[in-house]
Amino acid sequence: MAHTVCLTVDFDAVSPWLHAGEFGDSPVQRSRGVFGAEVGAPRLIDLFDRLDVPTTWFVPGHTIDSFPEPCERVVDAGHEIGHHGWSHTPPGEYESREAERADVARGIESIERLTGSAPAGYRSPSWDFSPHTVPLLQEFGFEYSSSGMAREFEPYELTEEHAPVDGPYETGDPVGITEVPVSWQRDDYPALAFSGNRAFSDEGAVFDHWRRQFDWMSEHAADGVYVLTLHPQVSGRSPRPSMLRELIEHMAAKPGVEFATVSDALAGTRSAGEGEEH
Ligand SMILES: [Zn+2]
């Protein structure tokens, strides 16, 4: 069994803290994002460089336009850049379809300026879709999304769905976009970021939990794709880069494990599937 690890970085910087809300829209909250851009991201880039692992960074256009230097370092190091909104607005909070469309288009423009090409992948801010999100992803030609949770370690095809409150839930036709599933269980933010009056977790227990999920996948899932979601403003803080290094080394020591960008992991999954048919 071959397994793939996709380390993904949601490079939000200050963008989530621009939105009014319980914890957003304040200078001190924004300073957490400045730390992410100016300290956390360089630490993660250095770590991935030392360990020679390709990764995928989902970067809001706001981050690209505000902190170009670390974004250029990410590109120069060969990592993939994916879409994460321009303004990091959760899709359900756009005022209209047109407002969502304009923000997605602006995010693509920022990425094109950074990398020279449009992104293949989209990750929804806050991991949610509005009723317009999937049709917009189709319109803009995205190949994959990494926001859904219908599988654990297995990419799957996004489909139309019918979810009336007064009738059965049904899925419809595939929409031509592959979903590379994420999990709140493999996201540093809910586990390790202080939020309101919620204390952060035991860091060792969180990294141990991620390691045990990887071990479970390698024993039970055929050709699993393990997606871990990191935020520079969370996992870039000490001593987490060292703990992340230990986790990556544990994974790399397992025979048959590869680290890949999400795009490359999908290409590998597709060619493996084609091979089985012959
Ligand atoms: Zn984000």
Side-chain angles (χ1 to χ4, degrees):
M1 287 193 289
H3 296 291
T4 308
V5 175
C6 294
L7 301 174
T8 67
V9 181
D10 290 5
F11 192 5
D12 297 336
V14 304
S15 62
W17 308 120
L18 301 173
H19 302 278
E22 196 176 355
F23 309 116
D25 196 18
S26 89
V28 172
Q29 295 290 22
R30 285 194 286 277
S31 74
R32 298 167 70 171
V34 172
F35 171 88
E38 297 181 348
V39 183
R43 284 178 180 170
L44 294 184
I45 297 165
D46 289 345
L47 176 66
F48 298 148
D49 195 38
R50 272 205 307 280
L51 298 177
D52 195 23
V53 288
T55 64
T56 299
W57 291 56
F58 294 97
V59 192
H62 184 275
T63 297
I64 295 170
D65 296 353
S66 306
F67 301 97
E69 192 181 323
C71 296
E72 286 162 11
R73 278 199 63 199
V74 172
V75 174
D76 290 346
H79 302 289
E80 179 185 12
I81 302 290
H83 197 290
H84 196 42
W86 187 86
S87 60
H88 201 279
T89 300
E93 295 179 12
Y94 289 110
E95 287 180 1
S96 64
R97 181 186 185 284
E98 276 318 298
E100 181 172 359
R101 188 183 183 286
D103 199 66
V104 173
R106 190 176 179 188
I108 292 172
E109 288 167 14
S110 294
I111 290 172
E112 284 176 336
R113 277 198 304 277
L114 176 66
T115 68
S117 57
Y122 172 83
R123 171 168 286 167
S124 147
S126 305
W127 287 347
D128 215 345
F129 288 165
S130 79
H132 311 298
T133 305
V134 171
L136 288 171
L137 298 183
Q138 286 180 288
E139 177 188 336
F140 285 109
F142 283 97
E143 294 171 23
Y144 74 84
S145 159
S146 185
S147 320
M149 307 177 192
R151 294 291 183 274
E152 199 170 21
F153 302 112
E154 176 189 348
Y156 59 96
E157 292 304 307
L158 274 182
T159 59
E160 293 173 352
E161 62 170 6
H162 309 285
V165 73
D166 58 352
Y169 173 84
E170 293 175 0
T171 52
D173 293 330
V175 300
I177 297 169
T178 305
E179 180 62 56
V180 185
V182 292
S183 166
W184 289 117
Q185 305 261 310
R186 287 189 299 284
D187 180 338
D188 63 359
Y189 199 89
L192 294 172
F194 179 74
S195 176
N197 57 7
R198 190 187 71 208
F200 53 80
S201 314
D202 176 324
E203 292 168 315
V206 172
F207 281 87
D208 193 47
H209 178 61
W210 291 342
R211 180 187 57 73
R212 281 185 280 120
Q213 287 184 64
F214 169 80
D215 290 345
W216 193 96
M217 177 189 78
S218 52
E219 285 170 30
H220 296 95
D223 303 320
V225 178
Y226 179 105
V227 177
L228 183 67
T229 298
L230 305 164
H231 296 76
Q233 56 192 287
V234 180
S235 285
R237 285 197 177 266
S238 64
R240 294 166 188 164
S242 303
M243 302 170 89
L244 185 58
R245 175 176 52 75
E246 290 168 9
L247 176 66
I248 293 171
E249 287 171 346
H250 170 82
M251 293 167 164
K254 188 81 84 175
V257 171
E258 285 196 1
F259 290 79
T261 65
V262 179
S263 276
D264 286 347
L266 272 185
T269 307
R270 286 191 189 117
S271 59
E274 284 161 15
E276 283 162 15
E277 285 167 17
H278 295 154

